[in-house]
Every structure is written in structure tokens, then in C-alpha cells.
Amino acid sequence: MVIDLTNTTRYYSLSDWRKEGIKHVKIQCRGRGAVPDNESAIKIFSDARPPGIYKPNYIDALYHEKKREMVVCPPTPEWKRSSELDLNGDDDEDSLIDNLVLSSTENDRGPQFPGSHPVSLDRDNLQLLRQRYYYATWKADGTRYMMLITMDGCFLVDRHRVQMRFPCRHTNNEGLAEKTHHFTLLDGEMVIDTLPDTHKQERRYLIYDMMALNHVSVIERPFYERWRMINKQVIGPRNHERQHIYQSRNPYYRYELEPFRVRRKEFHLLSTVTKLLKEFIPKLSHEADGLIFQGWDDPYVPRTHEGLLKWKYPEMNSVDFLFEVVEEDRGLLYLHERGKKKPMDGNRVVFPDGSDPSDYSGKIIECSFDAINETWVWMRTRVDKGTPNDYNTYRKVMRSITDNITEQVLLNEIAEIIELPSYAVRIQSADTQAHVRRR
């Protein structure tokens, strides 16, 4: 693309750019030391990005004075008016945007995030593992993000643009793809891997689901198809092109400069859960706090998905509260219900020895439950979150804590499931389908 800032058309011919396939944008700017007046700067911005600058203090700063009666600020846009995004009364725009950053998979963010959320495993939904065909994966202790891939860049939610390249599948054996992905939407989590040899830390995005492929929705397809498409349509073409570039003398793109690595998250048969818990998770290069059970035939279900199950190590079952110190230095815990703060009277939290509770006031804190003393215990402060858990999420976590499905209870249940004739038939059917697709 060429952005032409000259105030004339005599230097460049628009047809010359088009003939070469180059996009041309004309922004006429007066030269010879002349600059637009403040009103014209403001008007250009408003035309390009309606409704324009709606905060008076920004315009005051632009004018360096208070006499700006000729400029009328537009009303606050609808997307900014939602009070439910700001539980702390903070009207700063950056705080609003921070609230839109997605958090861990266990968090029900309500209207801010339409992604699929698992529910805690309890005595009632444990039976679903027998009734339906599930695969398992580890529950990474990372940060939840959707990734939107466009030809203009990749976006984590709608705030963070990152420079990354995702070529489409190749129609030939050459390394350079004819086109890149445009409006492909992925679901995954960002983890921090600690390399075992150097102990260097690096970010990695684990993709575990796909909602759209180049403008086409795939949420109605069964999970196993979406999961395989991640490799075939997204990861495979990246690896193919990257390998070609590494072997090229004149690389046209440098994958090693991307801000984080990307790979597909693996899912495993229930028969491997014991190995997953005993061998795989202890050797992971990032933190994990349990398991996720994904229905192999399920569509992508937005918001809470009652068939998507999570199991956490009992000591890791937790709730994210908003903590505030109120009158008489009394600390209160809050949850989120219907867009408002819900005080949890009668619940108290214990902080590390020597900590001043006021240091945590106004922050989201993740807490585990001490059943013996009937108190919540601070685990960490969630700097990646702007709202506490929803009250319904809290109820489900408490049910899971009460039911106390230990690791041994879970493994005993799975041991019985994999011996069922129906389970063996389903595995054989899945293997047959995969073999037909390969042929």
C-alpha cells in the first residue's frame, strides 16, 4: 500500500499504482509549514471514526486551553455506557478495555466473552462420562484468548494486534502460499513455557478449538472435525511455509520474530488419563491444575457448556472474588450477578502472614476453600481480570468442593468406563472413520 500525503496529483498517477496491483490511499496535506486548524483535525477524526472524540478533557488537551465553545463533544457511544463492565467505579478507558481481555477457562465473564465455558465435575455430571464419548486434555493454568486471524493481522480479542502469519493450505508444493487466512476465529489459551535447559521463559498459544474458517462458521461441526481442521488448515500450512523459508536464501518473512509460538493442544483417549495425570502433567513446561473432558461429537457451545467438564485437583478448586475494604477496615468479598456486584456476607478470606488486607482492596483475588476452618485462602491476585466470577460459577465450584471427587475417585470411574462394551465399539467406529478419511 502507498499512502500519498501530497496536496497535489501531479507527482503520481493512480493508474500506475493499480497496474502494479498496489493499493493507493490519498490523504491531502497542506505543505510549506502549514498545518490544519484544530477544528479540521477533530472533524477528520470524527469522519473516519464516528462518533469522534467524546471526552472533553482530550479536546482540552488538544487546544491547550478551555475556550473551545465552537467544538461540541458527541454523546458517549453505546459501547462505553455499559456500567456492568466496571465494578470498581473506574471510568478510565484503559480499565474498560482491560476488562475485555479474556481470562482463564474457568471464568464465566458473562456478556463480555461468548466463548465456551466448562463446568466443574460433580457427582451428578460425572455420569456424562459414561453416557457420551469423551476425550481428555490437561487444564493449563494460562490466560484464555480468542484469536481472530485477518489479512491485516492477528487480534487477541479486539485490542491486541500481533504480527503473525497464517498462510492457507498450499495448492502446490511451493513454500509461498497464494493467500493467507482472513476471518478465521480460534479458541485457546496463552501459557508461559519454561524451557528445561536454559530456564528461559517464552509465551505459547495453545489452540484447542475453531469457530470459523475464512468467513465460514464451523461451530455446528463435531469437535473432532474442528480439532483436525486446526492442524490441517492452520498449523500445517504455517509449518510447511516456515520450513520452506528456513531453507531459502532470501526469506520473505521471519517467523522467529513473532511475539509467541503457536501449536495445537492435544486431546487423548480416556484410557490414557492415568498416564496423563501421573507422567505427562508433571513434565509439562507450564503450570496445569487439572483436566478438561471434551465431548468428541459436540458442536461449539457459546457461554456455559454443561457437557464440557473440568476437573481440578481438590486443593486447586478456586473462586475469583472482588475484595474491598469498607468501613471500619472490614473486608468484603463480592461476586458478579446480572451485571452487578453481589456481596458474599459471611465469607471471609485469609491472606499470607504479614500482609495488609488493604493492599488487596479493589482487586480480583483467586481463593481456595479451607473446609476445616470454613474460610477462603488467598492464592493469587488476578491482574488479568476486571470482574469476579459469576454467582452461578461459584455455586458449581462449591458443589464440586462438597462432592470432593478426588483423583482416585475419578480414575476408578474412568477404569469402569473404558471396560464398557459401548466404549470399545465407539473407539472402533472412530478408528474406522479416520481410516476412511485418510484413504
Side-chain angles (χ1 to χ4, degrees):
M1 176 190 289
V2 169
I3 301 176
D4 182 359
L5 303 179
T6 62
N7 198 38
T8 179
T9 59
R10 70 175 183 268
Y11 296 126
Y12 309 108
S13 171
L14 181 59
S15 61
D16 290 343
W17 299 118
R18 289 177 175 171
K19 183 173 61 178
E20 298 298 329
I22 298 173
K23 187 174 182 180
H24 176 270
V25 176
K26 182 71 174 180
I27 303 177
Q28 288 188 259
C29 295
R30 296 171 61 190
R32 302 181 184 276
V35 297
D37 58 86
N38 285 338
E39 289 86 350
S40 301
I42 292 175
K43 183 179 184 305
I44 291 172
F45 182 86
S46 177
D47 292 342
R49 187 178 179 182
I53 302 174
Y54 62 88
K55 289 192 174 183
N57 57 315
Y58 287 179
I59 295 181
D60 290 342
L62 182 65
Y63 275 82
H64 298 289
E65 59 184 61
K66 295 294 181 182
K67 297 178 180 179
R68 53 170 182 79
E69 290 80 5
M70 72 292 294
V71 178
V72 178
C73 290
T76 302
E78 191 66 35
W79 53 263
K80 176 62 176 175
R81 296 177 192 170
S82 175
S83 60
E84 64 194 44
L85 294 178
D86 185 11
L87 298 180
N88 300 325
D90 189 348
D91 191 43
D92 181 71
E93 186 167 354
D94 285 339
S95 296
L96 171 70
I97 295 176
D98 285 340
N99 282 335
L100 297 177
V101 176
L102 309 182
S103 191
S104 305
T105 53
E106 71 267 28
N107 302 326
D108 188 348
R109 301 297 302 272
Q112 293 92 329
F113 178 52
S116 189
H117 291 283
V119 297
S120 296
L121 199 61
D122 56 38
R123 298 284 176 177
D124 286 341
N125 60 27
L126 185 62
Q127 62 182 328
L128 291 178
L129 293 178
R130 290 175 177 262
Q131 298 170 358
R132 300 160 65 178
Y133 188 54
Y134 278 91
Y135 268 55
T137 189
W138 71 98
K139 185 180 180 301
D141 189 13
T143 304
R144 177 81 175 272
Y145 287 101
M146 280 186 178
M147 177 187 280
L148 177 65
I149 306 173
T150 75
M151 63 175 61
D152 298 315
C154 297
F155 297 85
L156 301 179
V157 198
D158 60 353
R159 179 191 182 205
H160 300 87
R161 181 189 184 278
V162 293
Q163 178 60 46
M164 303 189 76
R165 181 173 170 83
F166 286 89
C168 291
R169 291 187 66 197
H170 299 70
T171 55
N172 51 51
N173 292 325
E174 298 298 324
L176 179 60
E178 296 177 1
K179 63 178 182 177
T180 58
H181 280 265
H182 190 48
F183 283 94
T184 291
L185 184 61
L186 307 171
D187 203 351
E189 55 201 353
M190 190 76 71
V191 298
I192 299 179
D193 281 331
T194 301
L195 304 183
D197 297 332
T198 63
H199 298 288
K200 178 183 176 182
Q201 292 187 324
E202 59 180 32
R203 297 182 184 275
R204 186 188 301 271
Y205 184 64
L206 302 177
I207 307 170
Y208 50 70
D209 214 330
M210 171 185 284
M211 291 79 82
L213 176 64
N214 291 318
H215 278 283
V216 179
S217 172
V218 297
I219 62 173
E220 296 299 328
R221 296 195 182 193
F223 172 76
Y224 67 85
E225 285 190 14
R226 304 195 307 273
W227 184 65
R228 287 164 181 159
M229 289 170 67
I230 295 170
N231 231 24
K232 189 175 183 179
Q233 303 288 348
V234 180
I235 299 299
R238 260 178 67 91
N239 292 341
H240 178 85
E241 183 182 75
R242 181 168 52 194
Q243 185 62 30
H244 175 83
I245 290 176
Y246 285 163
Q247 297 172 354
S248 172
R249 294 184 177 180
N250 298 304
Y252 47 83
Y253 184 79
R254 297 187 64 182
Y255 276 94
E256 70 274 13
L257 296 182
E258 291 182 340
F260 51 83
R261 299 190 178 191
V262 180
R263 75 175 175 89
R264 182 183 70 165
K265 194 177 185 185
E266 297 302 314
F267 285 77
H268 308 271
L269 289 167
L270 292 187
S271 57
T272 66
V273 166
T274 298
K275 188 174 183 179
L276 197 61
L277 284 171
K278 304 292 186 182
E279 300 178 25
F280 182 83
I281 289 179
K283 295 179 181 178
L284 277 173
S285 54
H286 55 264
E287 296 295 323
D289 56 8
L291 298 171
I292 296 289
F293 295 96
Q294 169 72 57
W296 205 231
D297 304 311
D298 285 0
Y300 188 90
V301 179
R303 307 290 170 87
T304 301
H305 180 8
E306 299 293 342
L308 181 60
L309 308 175
K310 66 177 179 180
W311 175 86
K312 299 180 73 171
Y313 297 105
E315 67 276 11
M316 298 295 287
N317 266 314
S318 62
V319 174
D320 295 334
F321 294 100
L322 168 64
F323 177 74
E324 288 185 351
V325 175
V326 293
E327 66 277 358
E328 301 177 356
D329 293 330
R330 187 165 59 97
L332 284 181
L333 295 172
Y334 296 89
L335 291 172
H336 197 193
E337 186 178 43
R338 296 172 184 166
K340 298 180 180 179
K341 292 193 300 185
K342 179 178 177 62
M344 298 299 292
D345 296 323
N347 287 265
R348 66 186 188 91
V349 59
V350 176
F351 292 102
D353 292 339
S355 296
D356 184 354
S358 62
D359 292 339
Y360 301 91
S361 184
K363 298 179 180 179
I364 305 299
I365 58 173
E366 182 178 358
C367 305
S368 60
F369 189 68
D370 181 350
I372 297 177
N373 297 305
E374 296 187 344
T375 60
W376 293 97
V377 180
W378 177 90
M379 296 174 65
R380 58 175 171 165
T381 301
R382 298 300 302 267
V383 295
D384 58 328
K385 290 198 63 178
T387 55
N389 277 150
D390 187 82
Y391 182 67
N392 286 331
T393 300
Y394 161 82
R395 291 174 56 194
K396 293 172 184 176
V397 172
M398 288 304 299
R399 172 66 187 275
S400 181
I401 292 174
T402 302
D403 286 353
N404 191 27
I405 299 180
T406 64
E407 180 177 318
Q408 195 56 53
V409 169
L410 177 65
L411 292 179
N412 289 343
E413 179 70 14
I414 290 177
E416 294 183 11
I417 292 173
I418 61 179
E419 294 297 327
L420 295 174
S422 58
Y423 188 75
V425 169
R426 183 56 207 266
I427 290 179
Q428 184 178 8
S429 173
D431 290 342
T432 302
Q433 292 175 1
H435 179 70
V436 170
R437 278 189 296 270
R438 285 194 295 267
R439 292 184 60 184

